[in-house]
Amino acid sequence: MDNQAWYLRTSKLALALAIIRSKPADKSSREYTEYLALAVSGQESRWRSKVEALEAEVLQLRQKLLLSKICSGLFKSGDASSQLQAQESGSSESTVMVLEDSGCDLSHEQKNESSEMSQHFVGSCTPTLFPPLPIVKKHSATPENPLSSHMQFLQRLLELKNWTESESLKTDLNHFENNSSTVSDSVFQLLDGLITFYREPKFPFSNFCTEAVDTLARLISDCNLSDLILKKCSKKLEEFEKTLLQTILRNNHINRFQVQHYVAQSLVTLGSCNLLRKSIITQLLSEVNSFTDELGTINQVQASYDVTRYENMFSVFWVLEQLLQKENEKGNMSSIGRDDLEIKKFLQKHDEAIFLLSDAFPLFTFYLWRLGILLDSIERETVESSSLP
């Protein structure tokens, strides 16, 4: 027996003896052990909540510090031009409008508080770089509230990059991010919250979520920020894509189509990023191939099929068409092609599936035919591009 196993066994024995000796007379050893376990677990839960709250507060401070340092570096290097002042009013109005449209109730006191906080962390920087953003009420019970600070930080970061693409900004950002991973941590937390929300989305759909997805797509499309984000968040992004897809496929509510429209639009927004489009198309085609095989089997034995899933597949078709059309646009290629396993499987069975299913499922086969045309068009575009000198 090694030392670690001996110490563990000895500790368990010592704990058992301590419980037996200290137990009240009116309780058995088992009852007293269960009581202590319950007390310890409750205490652990409270401490865990405190730790999570403190971690969230630390991350917000790191976000403010990163923005403040980048801002200070821009002014020291003389990169802040008159363009910043020219964009002040428009940026401030649009930012506030976005949050007012998100369904969050904002009070006059909160707007004043956010203005004071913004001025405090910017310090010596000109406040036009950071228009005050309202802070969501903490007591409001909507799922997106904990995510608002992360989205505000990421939007401010993108605004800075839109205002100036100077080399000093890139250098500062890479330097600070390597030390603190603030951007990737913020994206990870935002993704975590969005996954929780999209697993059971409610209607009416909050504009906050669509705005958050759009912010994610813009961040990952940025050549300087994408590497920082994908190093830590690639698996979480894949989980988010799968969550959106499964929300579309598994929804069996009678009035599900409005929710599906927003979820499908979120997938299209994510797919507007070249780095994410290939994986989303692959997942969507995998579901199409799987369901096509199921319909083929059902058609042969003349069995009944899942009508709800059949109807939900048309939302998948719509998303696929949108993304494949983006793929056909010049400069938007994401390197998908016939070498992809799901595309290869789809094209191999394409003609046969249409022939076998066209009588029983004419609308389904019509969409299969449309997808085949789009994939063939992408293949031709890829061949033509590779043949150019």
Side-chain angles (χ1 to χ4, degrees):
M1 183 184 297
D2 59 5
N3 290 337
Q4 186 175 0
W6 183 85
Y7 280 120
L8 179 61
R9 190 171 181 178
T10 304
S11 300
K12 287 182 177 179
L13 180 60
L15 178 62
L17 290 172
I19 291 173
I20 292 171
R21 289 182 178 180
S22 62
K23 76 176 184 66
D26 60 338
K27 287 187 177 182
S28 66
S29 298
R30 182 183 184 86
E31 289 174 341
Y32 189 54
T33 302
E34 290 175 350
Y35 164 77
L36 290 175
L38 185 62
V40 169
S41 63
Q43 201 172 41
E44 182 183 353
S45 177
R46 289 193 296 272
W47 278 110
R48 186 182 295 112
S49 299
K50 289 182 180 179
V51 168
E52 290 174 355
L54 289 172
E55 287 177 344
E57 187 176 349
V58 168
L59 181 55
Q60 288 187 24
L61 292 173
R62 285 163 53 197
Q63 292 169 353
K64 294 176 182 179
L65 180 63
L66 176 61
L67 291 175
S68 181
K69 285 182 176 180
I70 294 175
C71 177
S72 299
L74 287 174
F75 275 92
K76 287 178 182 178
S77 62
D79 289 324
S81 63
S82 58
Q83 180 186 4
L84 303 181
Q85 282 73 21
Q87 292 180 346
E88 174 190 2
S89 57
S91 174
S92 178
E93 290 175 4
S94 63
T95 309
V96 173
M97 189 179 299
V98 164
L99 282 164
E100 287 177 347
D101 288 344
S102 68
C104 304
D105 185 20
L106 306 174
S107 67
H108 177 71
E109 291 80 4
Q110 288 170 323
K111 293 180 181 179
N112 291 337
E113 179 187 354
S114 68
S115 178
E116 293 171 2
M117 290 178 65
S118 176
Q119 293 173 5
H120 173 72
F121 83 81
V122 173
S124 60
C125 302
T126 302
T128 56
L129 275 175
F130 300 104
L133 293 175
I135 297 176
V136 182
K137 284 184 178 179
K138 292 183 179 179
H139 58 77
S140 186
T142 53
E144 60 265 20
N145 280 344
L147 311 180
S148 61
S149 62
H150 305 309
M151 194 179 80
Q152 290 174 25
F153 161 70
L154 296 171
Q155 285 178 331
R156 284 170 171 169
L157 191 63
L158 284 169
E159 286 174 1
L160 272 177
K161 291 185 67 60
N162 291 336
W163 278 330
T164 172
E165 287 294 335
S166 65
E167 194 63 35
S168 62
L169 174 59
K170 298 174 187 176
T171 303
D172 287 343
L173 181 60
N174 289 331
H175 171 71
F176 295 130
E177 180 62 17
N178 288 336
N179 291 335
S180 64
S181 67
T182 306
V183 175
S184 56
D185 286 348
S186 302
V187 171
F188 191 92
Q189 293 296 325
L190 185 60
L191 280 169
D192 208 34
L194 286 174
I195 287 171
T196 301
F197 173 78
Y198 274 99
R199 279 176 181 157
E200 293 183 5
K202 299 292 189 297
F203 193 83
F205 215 77
S206 171
N207 286 342
F208 178 92
C209 293
T210 54
E211 182 71 17
V213 174
D214 178 67
T215 301
L216 284 172
R218 289 161 56 204
L219 280 166
I220 301 169
S221 297
D222 188 282
C223 59
N224 298 309
L225 293 172
S226 58
D227 290 340
L228 303 173
I229 295 169
L230 294 176
K231 283 179 184 178
K232 181 174 182 178
C233 304
S234 57
K235 289 185 178 179
K236 187 62 75 172
L237 274 166
E238 186 177 350
E239 182 185 353
F240 182 45
E241 294 167 5
K242 289 179 179 178
T243 300
L244 292 174
L245 178 56
Q246 292 307 315
T247 300
I248 293 174
L249 292 175
R250 294 178 181 176
N251 197 332
N252 58 2
H253 297 293
I254 296 176
N255 298 321
R256 64 186 180 275
F257 300 107
Q258 289 177 310
V259 173
Q260 284 180 333
H261 170 74
Y262 280 100
V263 177
Q265 187 59 57
S266 296
L267 266 175
V268 172
T269 302
L270 273 184
S272 64
C273 172
N274 292 347
L275 293 174
L276 300 179
R277 191 181 310 124
K278 182 178 180 179
S279 64
I280 296 175
I281 289 175
T282 299
Q283 291 184 53
L284 294 170
L285 278 176
S286 176
E287 293 293 338
V288 171
N289 289 334
S290 175
F291 193 67
T292 302
D293 293 340
E294 282 186 35
L295 288 182
T297 304
I298 290 170
N299 191 48
Q300 286 180 352
V301 299
Q302 297 297 308
S304 59
Y305 62 95
D306 187 345
V307 177
T308 300
R309 190 181 175 200
Y310 177 83
E311 292 174 345
N312 291 345
M313 285 302 299
F314 291 100
S315 293
V316 175
F317 281 132
W318 181 80
V319 176
L320 264 173
E321 286 192 1
Q322 299 300 310
L323 296 183
L324 291 175
Q325 286 171 6
K326 286 182 182 293
E327 188 70 16
N328 269 324
E329 296 174 3
K330 290 184 178 180
N332 275 340
M333 301 295 287
S334 62
S335 72
I336 69 168
R338 288 180 181 265
D339 57 333
D340 183 90
L341 183 62
E342 294 299 334
I343 293 178
K344 187 184 297 184
K345 182 179 178 181
F346 178 86
L347 293 174
Q348 284 175 348
K349 296 185 176 182
H350 179 257
D351 294 340
E352 181 184 359
I354 291 177
F355 177 74
L356 294 175
L357 301 176
S358 57
D359 290 337
F361 307 101
L363 185 60
F364 186 85
T365 52
F366 173 68
Y367 276 90
L368 288 180
W369 172 74
R370 285 163 61 121
L371 289 181
I373 290 176
L374 286 169
L375 286 170
D376 285 336
S377 176
I378 291 172
E379 176 66 17
R380 287 195 302 271
E381 185 73 25
T382 304
V383 172
E384 291 175 2
S385 298
S386 59
S387 63
L388 292 175

